[in-house]
Amino acid sequence: MPGGGPIGAPLGLLGEAPGVQEAASGLPFVGQAGRVLEDALAAVGVRRQDCYVGNRVRCRPPANRISEYPDALNECDTWTRAELALYNPRVMVLLGKTAFTPIFGDHPVWQVRGHMRHTGVEHPWGSRLWVATYHPAAVLRKMELFEMLVGDIRLAASAIGDLV
Ligand code: URA
């Protein structure tokens, strides 16, 4: 399933992989996790339709076992990087470990969230600002995380103002 949004969307959101509803509809974040994401965006005054929204993994992995399919992950990254080059969001929010590992490394989310990282033109994922945060599905399991998701999206959105 491809990601999408307006070309030149200033803000982008990258998730993990399609869930059941996403696989059925062909659209990212249309299920329960999508509702959490839209609530968090609304809390900072950002409209989903103004953002690039995609997933690092493009097909629903059997039993959601992404780590068992490293080749698929690598192949998907080629497509995701091409999508980012096309839509070119200047600031990206990475939702959960699968999404943030290529930029922030294999660390627990609490260690890397709340900070902004910059990559330059020479970086395989392009020249952008990046913010790592909790996956909306984790927020569904633990609602206390919602404020951190909102705070991290706010941090990303505030960087857009600095760039223009
Ligand atoms: N979880 C994700 O990571 N992506 C979706 O699109 C839906 C749920």
mmCIF file of all heavy atoms in Angstrom, residues 1 14-20 22-23 27-34 48 53-57 95 135-137, ligand 1:
data_model
loop_
_atom_site.group_PDB
_atom_site.id
_atom_site.type_symbol
_atom_site.label_atom_id
_atom_site.label_comp_id
_atom_site.label_asym_id
_atom_site.label_seq_id
_atom_site.Cartn_x
_atom_site.Cartn_y
_atom_site.Cartn_z
ATOM 1 N N MET A 1 0.845 -1.187 0.000
ATOM 2 C CA MET A 1 0.000 0.000 0.000
ATOM 3 C C MET A 1 0.892 1.254 0.000
ATOM 4 O O MET A 1 1.787 1.374 0.832
ATOM 5 C CB MET A 1 -0.856 -0.028 1.274
ATOM 6 C CG MET A 1 -1.416 1.300 1.660
ATOM 7 S SD MET A 1 -1.642 1.401 3.439
ATOM 8 C CE MET A 1 -2.738 0.052 3.682
ATOM 9 N N LEU A 14 4.879 8.757 9.500
ATOM 10 C CA LEU A 14 5.190 7.416 9.020
ATOM 11 C C LEU A 14 4.902 6.404 10.113
ATOM 12 O O LEU A 14 5.414 6.523 11.229
ATOM 13 C CB LEU A 14 6.668 7.334 8.610
ATOM 14 C CG LEU A 14 7.071 6.076 7.843
ATOM 15 C CD1 LEU A 14 6.455 6.061 6.445
ATOM 16 C CD2 LEU A 14 8.590 5.951 7.754
ATOM 17 N N GLY A 15 4.074 5.407 9.778
ATOM 18 C CA GLY A 15 3.738 4.344 10.712
ATOM 19 C C GLY A 15 4.524 3.088 10.411
ATOM 20 O O GLY A 15 5.563 3.114 9.741
ATOM 21 N N GLU A 16 3.977 1.989 10.884
ATOM 22 C CA GLU A 16 4.692 0.724 10.808
ATOM 23 C C GLU A 16 4.273 -0.073 9.574
ATOM 24 O O GLU A 16 5.020 -0.187 8.602
ATOM 25 C CB GLU A 16 4.389 -0.058 12.083
ATOM 26 C CG GLU A 16 5.121 -1.355 12.189
ATOM 27 C CD GLU A 16 4.839 -2.031 13.525
ATOM 28 O OE1 GLU A 16 3.851 -2.778 13.600
ATOM 29 O OE2 GLU A 16 5.607 -1.808 14.460
ATOM 30 N N ALA A 17 3.075 -0.605 9.604
ATOM 31 C CA ALA A 17 2.581 -1.475 8.537
ATOM 32 C C ALA A 17 1.056 -1.426 8.553
ATOM 33 O O ALA A 17 0.457 -1.139 9.587
ATOM 34 C CB ALA A 17 3.055 -2.913 8.769
ATOM 35 N N PRO A 18 0.432 -1.722 7.416
ATOM 36 C CA PRO A 18 -1.035 -1.724 7.413
ATOM 37 C C PRO A 18 -1.595 -2.751 8.377
ATOM 38 O O PRO A 18 -1.048 -3.852 8.505
ATOM 39 C CB PRO A 18 -1.386 -2.120 5.969
ATOM 40 C CG PRO A 18 -0.127 -2.061 5.190
ATOM 41 C CD PRO A 18 1.026 -2.086 6.139
ATOM 42 N N GLY A 19 -2.663 -2.392 9.058
ATOM 43 C CA GLY A 19 -3.420 -3.355 9.853
ATOM 44 C C GLY A 19 -4.511 -3.964 8.980
ATOM 45 O O GLY A 19 -4.524 -3.766 7.759
ATOM 46 N N VAL A 20 -5.440 -4.671 9.607
ATOM 47 C CA VAL A 20 -6.491 -5.356 8.846
ATOM 48 C C VAL A 20 -7.314 -4.371 8.034
ATOM 49 O O VAL A 20 -7.539 -4.550 6.828
ATOM 50 C CB VAL A 20 -7.416 -6.145 9.817
ATOM 51 C CG1 VAL A 20 -8.580 -6.765 9.058
ATOM 52 C CG2 VAL A 20 -6.632 -7.221 10.543
ATOM 53 N N GLU A 22 -6.589 -1.289 7.151
ATOM 54 C CA GLU A 22 -5.789 -0.591 6.141
ATOM 55 C C GLU A 22 -5.578 -1.491 4.925
ATOM 56 O O GLU A 22 -5.674 -1.040 3.778
ATOM 57 C CB GLU A 22 -4.440 -0.168 6.730
ATOM 58 C CG GLU A 22 -4.531 0.959 7.735
ATOM 59 C CD GLU A 22 -5.026 0.527 9.109
ATOM 60 O OE1 GLU A 22 -4.990 -0.684 9.392
ATOM 61 O OE2 GLU A 22 -5.437 1.407 9.888
ATOM 62 N N ALA A 23 -5.290 -2.790 5.182
ATOM 63 C CA ALA A 23 -5.067 -3.724 4.079
ATOM 64 C C ALA A 23 -6.342 -3.857 3.240
ATOM 65 O O ALA A 23 -6.292 -3.963 2.020
ATOM 66 C CB ALA A 23 -4.621 -5.078 4.621
ATOM 67 N N LEU A 27 -5.704 2.127 2.361
ATOM 68 C CA LEU A 27 -5.329 3.448 2.875
ATOM 69 C C LEU A 27 -4.687 3.314 4.252
ATOM 70 O O LEU A 27 -5.152 2.508 5.069
ATOM 71 C CB LEU A 27 -6.571 4.351 2.991
ATOM 72 C CG LEU A 27 -7.259 4.694 1.679
ATOM 73 C CD1 LEU A 27 -8.631 5.310 1.951
ATOM 74 C CD2 LEU A 27 -6.388 5.652 0.863
ATOM 75 N N PRO A 28 -3.629 4.099 4.518
ATOM 76 C CA PRO A 28 -2.990 3.995 5.825
ATOM 77 C C PRO A 28 -3.828 4.630 6.938
ATOM 78 O O PRO A 28 -4.545 5.612 6.700
ATOM 79 C CB PRO A 28 -1.665 4.759 5.653
ATOM 80 C CG PRO A 28 -1.880 5.669 4.497
ATOM 81 C CD PRO A 28 -2.936 5.052 3.628
ATOM 82 N N PHE A 29 -3.747 4.067 8.109
ATOM 83 C CA PHE A 29 -4.332 4.659 9.323
ATOM 84 C C PHE A 29 -5.818 5.010 9.165
ATOM 85 O O PHE A 29 -6.229 6.141 9.390
ATOM 86 C CB PHE A 29 -3.528 5.888 9.758
ATOM 87 C CG PHE A 29 -2.221 5.532 10.419
ATOM 88 C CD1 PHE A 29 -1.014 5.724 9.771
ATOM 89 C CD2 PHE A 29 -2.202 4.984 11.688
ATOM 90 C CE1 PHE A 29 0.198 5.371 10.375
ATOM 91 C CE2 PHE A 29 -0.998 4.625 12.309
ATOM 92 C CZ PHE A 29 0.202 4.831 11.650
ATOM 93 N N VAL A 30 -6.595 4.000 8.766
ATOM 94 C CA VAL A 30 -8.045 4.222 8.710
ATOM 95 C C VAL A 30 -8.782 3.518 9.857
ATOM 96 O O VAL A 30 -9.973 3.727 10.039
ATOM 97 C CB VAL A 30 -8.657 3.760 7.357
ATOM 98 C CG1 VAL A 30 -8.231 4.666 6.228
ATOM 99 C CG2 VAL A 30 -8.304 2.307 7.063
ATOM 100 N N GLY A 31 -8.057 2.711 10.626
ATOM 101 C CA GLY A 31 -8.690 2.003 11.738
ATOM 102 C C GLY A 31 -8.598 2.797 13.030
ATOM 103 O O GLY A 31 -8.492 4.023 13.031
ATOM 104 N N GLN A 32 -8.621 2.067 14.141
ATOM 105 C CA GLN A 32 -8.610 2.698 15.477
ATOM 106 C C GLN A 32 -7.360 3.544 15.700
ATOM 107 O O GLN A 32 -7.433 4.635 16.269
ATOM 108 C CB GLN A 32 -8.628 1.596 16.529
ATOM 109 C CG GLN A 32 -9.994 1.200 17.009
ATOM 110 C CD GLN A 32 -9.855 0.293 18.219
ATOM 111 O OE1 GLN A 32 -9.126 -0.696 18.173
ATOM 112 N NE2 GLN A 32 -10.534 0.638 19.287
ATOM 113 N N ALA A 33 -6.205 3.021 15.263
ATOM 114 C CA ALA A 33 -4.952 3.780 15.426
ATOM 115 C C ALA A 33 -5.030 5.094 14.644
ATOM 116 O O ALA A 33 -4.516 6.122 15.090
ATOM 117 C CB ALA A 33 -3.756 2.949 14.976
ATOM 118 N N GLY A 34 -5.705 5.039 13.511
ATOM 119 C CA GLY A 34 -5.873 6.250 12.702
ATOM 120 C C GLY A 34 -6.688 7.304 13.419
ATOM 121 O O GLY A 34 -6.433 8.505 13.303
ATOM 122 N N ARG A 48 -5.115 16.184 8.880
ATOM 123 C CA ARG A 48 -4.490 15.012 8.264
ATOM 124 C C ARG A 48 -4.343 15.182 6.752
ATOM 125 O O ARG A 48 -3.347 14.776 6.161
ATOM 126 C CB ARG A 48 -5.339 13.786 8.592
ATOM 127 C CG ARG A 48 -4.851 12.551 7.902
ATOM 128 C CD ARG A 48 -5.857 11.421 7.988
ATOM 129 N NE ARG A 48 -5.378 10.337 7.161
ATOM 130 C CZ ARG A 48 -5.388 9.066 7.506
ATOM 131 N NH1 ARG A 48 -5.898 8.715 8.649
ATOM 132 N NH2 ARG A 48 -4.927 8.143 6.705
ATOM 133 N N VAL A 53 1.008 10.839 4.701
ATOM 134 C CA VAL A 53 0.795 9.761 5.669
ATOM 135 C C VAL A 53 1.144 8.435 4.994
ATOM 136 O O VAL A 53 0.625 8.127 3.910
ATOM 137 C CB VAL A 53 -0.675 9.713 6.169
ATOM 138 C CG1 VAL A 53 -0.850 8.607 7.217
ATOM 139 C CG2 VAL A 53 -1.099 11.051 6.784
ATOM 140 N N GLY A 54 2.038 7.682 5.601
ATOM 141 C CA GLY A 54 2.421 6.393 5.021
ATOM 142 C C GLY A 54 2.897 5.433 6.085
ATOM 143 O O GLY A 54 2.909 5.737 7.281
ATOM 144 N N ASN A 55 3.293 4.263 5.639
ATOM 145 C CA ASN A 55 3.840 3.236 6.510
ATOM 146 C C ASN A 55 5.192 2.782 5.977
ATOM 147 O O ASN A 55 5.399 2.728 4.766
ATOM 148 C CB ASN A 55 2.906 2.016 6.549
ATOM 149 C CG ASN A 55 1.699 2.245 7.405
ATOM 150 O OD1 ASN A 55 1.815 2.570 8.593
ATOM 151 N ND2 ASN A 55 0.526 2.088 6.809
ATOM 152 N N ARG A 56 6.102 2.434 6.879
ATOM 153 C CA ARG A 56 7.408 1.952 6.431
ATOM 154 C C ARG A 56 7.263 0.613 5.701
ATOM 155 O O ARG A 56 7.929 0.362 4.711
ATOM 156 C CB ARG A 56 8.360 1.809 7.629
ATOM 157 C CG ARG A 56 9.734 1.404 7.193
ATOM 158 C CD ARG A 56 10.744 1.422 8.319
ATOM 159 N NE ARG A 56 11.984 0.825 7.854
ATOM 160 C CZ ARG A 56 12.844 0.173 8.606
ATOM 161 N NH1 ARG A 56 12.618 0.056 9.890
ATOM 162 N NH2 ARG A 56 13.931 -0.343 8.089
ATOM 163 N N VAL A 57 6.379 -0.254 6.197
ATOM 164 C CA VAL A 57 6.132 -1.554 5.568
ATOM 165 C C VAL A 57 4.835 -1.445 4.767
ATOM 166 O O VAL A 57 3.833 -0.951 5.276
ATOM 167 C CB VAL A 57 6.034 -2.658 6.636
ATOM 168 C CG1 VAL A 57 5.690 -3.993 6.006
ATOM 169 C CG2 VAL A 57 7.351 -2.746 7.407
ATOM 170 N N LEU A 95 6.283 7.198 13.810
ATOM 171 C CA LEU A 95 5.353 6.638 14.793
ATOM 172 C C LEU A 95 5.772 5.222 15.160
ATOM 173 O O LEU A 95 5.510 4.278 14.412
ATOM 174 C CB LEU A 95 3.938 6.650 14.217
ATOM 175 C CG LEU A 95 3.432 8.037 13.771
ATOM 176 C CD1 LEU A 95 2.266 7.887 12.788
ATOM 177 C CD2 LEU A 95 3.008 8.864 14.977
ATOM 178 N N HIS A 135 3.809 4.934 18.838
ATOM 179 C CA HIS A 135 2.843 4.519 17.828
ATOM 180 C C HIS A 135 1.435 4.714 18.400
ATOM 181 O O HIS A 135 1.202 4.424 19.577
ATOM 182 C CB HIS A 135 3.074 3.056 17.474
ATOM 183 C CG HIS A 135 2.314 2.643 16.267
ATOM 184 N ND1 HIS A 135 0.968 2.393 16.295
ATOM 185 C CD2 HIS A 135 2.707 2.486 14.982
ATOM 186 C CE1 HIS A 135 0.559 2.078 15.075
ATOM 187 N NE2 HIS A 135 1.601 2.125 14.264
ATOM 188 N N PRO A 136 0.499 5.187 17.581
ATOM 189 C CA PRO A 136 -0.872 5.368 18.087
ATOM 190 C C PRO A 136 -1.467 4.091 18.684
ATOM 191 O O PRO A 136 -2.299 4.174 19.594
ATOM 192 C CB PRO A 136 -1.659 5.817 16.854
ATOM 193 C CG PRO A 136 -0.642 6.406 15.944
ATOM 194 C CD PRO A 136 0.655 5.691 16.210
ATOM 195 N N ALA A 137 -1.064 2.920 18.194
ATOM 196 C CA ALA A 137 -1.586 1.670 18.777
ATOM 197 C C ALA A 137 -1.105 1.500 20.217
ATOM 198 O O ALA A 137 -1.822 0.942 21.056
ATOM 199 C CB ALA A 137 -1.170 0.470 17.936
HETATM 200 N N1 URA B 1 -0.698 0.908 12.189
HETATM 201 C C1 URA B 1 0.239 1.396 11.370
HETATM 202 O O1 URA B 1 1.399 1.424 11.672
HETATM 203 N N2 URA B 1 -0.150 1.846 10.211
HETATM 204 C C2 URA B 1 -1.417 1.855 9.828
HETATM 205 O O2 URA B 1 -1.671 2.310 8.744
HETATM 206 C C3 URA B 1 -2.369 1.358 10.718
HETATM 207 C C4 URA B 1 -1.990 0.889 11.895
#
